[in-house]
Amino acid sequence: MRSVRSWSAALLVAFAATNCAAHAADEAAIKGALDAAFAKYKDLQEGKNADYIPALAEVDPNVYGIALITVDGEVYVKGDVSTEVSIQSISKVFTMAKVMEESGPEALRDNMGVDATGQVFNSIVAIEQYKGAEMNALVNAGAITATSMVQGKTYDEIWGKILGYYRDFAGRDLTVLEDVYESEAATNQRNQAIAHLMYAYGKIEEEPVRATDIYTKQCSVGVNAKDLAVMAATLANGGKNPVTGKKVLSSEHVPEVLAVMATAGLYDDSGKWLYRTGLPAKSGVGGGIIAVSPGKFGIAVISPPLDAAGNSVRAQNAIADISNAIGGNPYAVTPK
Ligand code: DON
């Protein structure tokens, strides 16, 4: 008769073999989903590069890269994952997270708010409607305000903190794309007006010009699809970077960050996006989108041509297909 010890050894071996087989199947499913989405949308010609920031119109519209990183730190990539584009509005997520870390989530809720505006991302009507409240840190007015809330005495101190925080999320040093920064700084009169309005309503407490400039710089940070996927995967993994192992954001604040992303990450198309995928996400006019499947994976796609709401067309399609193929929707549950 077999001893208990040899039974348990046999069970362990069988369990490990099952696990390995399941892992290989997962791996094949993820690779297959990336390959299929890449091929399906490669020749899609919908959308147009942003051009209200002149440097963005010059970016190659054919750049197209997909990266998915699991909470175990496994990396899957397809297409161009080395070309950097400017992070643009995706940066707003990480500055918002920094403010949450420093001042608590109520600081954001009680200042600009955590609600959808139903307006375009740089709406002035949305500011006027509730005197700078009842919005969120992912639209321009709320984002410039969030940047103004990062603690620090000098421009350099605040900027250093912001860039350092993005670096911890991405797991590598990031730098500003100077041509994008100069181009946006020369044409950001609307954001300057927005910042002054938020100052007039007491939401920005001081130095609206400095806040706008730091915000412009944070939007010009260069990232590739893999960087963005690591940043998203850090949110998927409860605030711990699954590639470097560094804890970047308190786990208790991750749900609050994801809630604002779900509410407003794709601006006035956020509802449509959530209906389609269930994923908290964030877009940028540089052509990137990140999305988070909590406890599972972070995914990012870069492709510069945008739809009318300012969201990358290929990125939306590719992320939706991949996530739906591998069970990324957190609201989808198999009945017991
Ligand atoms: O402030 C702006 O207009 C840009 N720096 C960022 C806008 C943006 O990325 C909107 N995203 N879809």
Side-chain angles (χ1 to χ4, degrees):
M1 199 174 123
R2 269 182 139 169
S3 71
V4 172
R5 185 171 296 171
S6 68
W7 268 118
S8 42
L11 274 175
L12 270 180
V13 170
F15 182 69
T18 315
N19 255 355
C20 266
H23 183 256
D26 285 352
E27 221 178 76
I30 297 172
K31 277 190 187 141
L34 261 68
D35 289 350
F38 185 82
K40 186 167 167 193
Y41 300 114
K42 195 162 72 66
D43 299 319
L44 181 67
Q45 293 303 328
E46 273 172 43
K48 190 168 150 303
N49 281 29
D51 56 8
Y52 75 100
I53 299 169
L56 300 186
E58 307 304 318
V59 176
D60 178 359
N62 298 312
V63 170
Y64 179 31
I66 306 177
L68 182 149
I69 297 178
T70 69
V71 293
D72 299 313
E74 282 160 2
V75 178
Y76 299 85
V77 296
K78 183 75 190 173
D80 181 348
V81 293
S82 56
T83 297
E84 290 184 1
V85 298
S86 51
I87 188 169
Q88 295 298 339
S89 284
I90 300 170
S91 68
K92 296 167 177 172
V93 171
F94 304 98
T95 298
M96 172 174 75
K98 183 72 187 167
V99 174
M100 252 182 224
E101 263 324 66
E102 286 187 342
S103 305
E106 59 288 342
L108 294 155
R109 186 198 58 205
D110 297 346
N111 196 15
M112 79 287 283
V114 290
D115 275 304
T117 65
Q119 304 285 342
V120 293
F121 64 83
N122 55 4
S123 174
I124 286 174
V125 170
I127 304 175
E128 283 299 296
Q129 196 177 5
Y130 297 109
K131 300 188 177 0
E134 303 285 334
M135 58 168 82
N136 60 75
L138 300 182
V139 293
N140 286 13
I144 299 168
T145 304
T147 300
S148 80
M149 293 166 76
V150 174
Q151 293 168 15
K153 288 196 179 57
T154 63
Y155 184 112
D156 288 346
E157 188 189 348
I158 297 166
W159 171 242
K161 270 188 175 181
I162 291 175
L163 189 61
Y165 202 52
Y166 295 2
R167 177 193 58 223
D168 288 346
F169 268 98
R172 74 165 182 116
D173 281 337
L174 300 173
T175 53
V176 169
L177 302 177
E178 290 297 334
D179 60 323
V180 177
Y181 169 64
E182 279 163 29
S183 178
E184 184 165 349
T187 53
N188 69 354
Q189 290 76 18
R190 187 180 177 94
N191 281 342
Q192 292 176 36
I194 285 173
H196 279 99
L197 259 182
M198 292 301 273
Y199 181 55
Y201 285 127
K203 303 298 178 186
I204 293 180
E205 284 182 359
E206 55 177 7
E207 308 239 32
V209 174
R210 181 177 77 181
T212 312
D213 191 48
I214 297 177
Y215 162 84
T216 304
K217 200 169 258 190
Q218 78 178 42
C219 288
S220 309
V221 167
V223 282
N224 60 39
K226 188 176 163 229
D227 296 328
L228 289 176
V230 180
M231 296 172 98
T234 302
L235 293 171
N237 190 37
K240 181 175 168 187
N241 185 317
V243 176
T244 65
K246 183 165 182 170
K247 191 74 193 295
V248 185
L249 171 64
S250 307
S251 302
E252 72 198 87
H253 295 324
V254 172
E256 289 144 350
V257 170
L258 297 181
V260 186
M261 291 171 71
T263 305
L266 268 69
Y267 303 111
D268 39 329
D269 276 354
S270 297
K272 274 187 219 138
W273 172 257
L274 206 61
Y275 195 80
R276 185 176 181 189
T277 66
L279 299 180
K282 184 72 204 85
S283 61
V285 288
I289 298 185
I290 62 169
V292 177
S293 181
K296 292 187 175 168
F297 61 81
I299 183 169
V301 176
I302 289 178
S303 167
L306 312 177
D307 66 13
N311 302 316
S312 165
V313 177
R314 284 195 196 105
Q316 289 177 77
N317 285 316
I319 294 173
D321 278 17
I322 293 167
S323 174
N324 290 338
I326 62 172
N329 188 331
Y331 299 128
V333 172
T334 310
K336 292 207 189 297

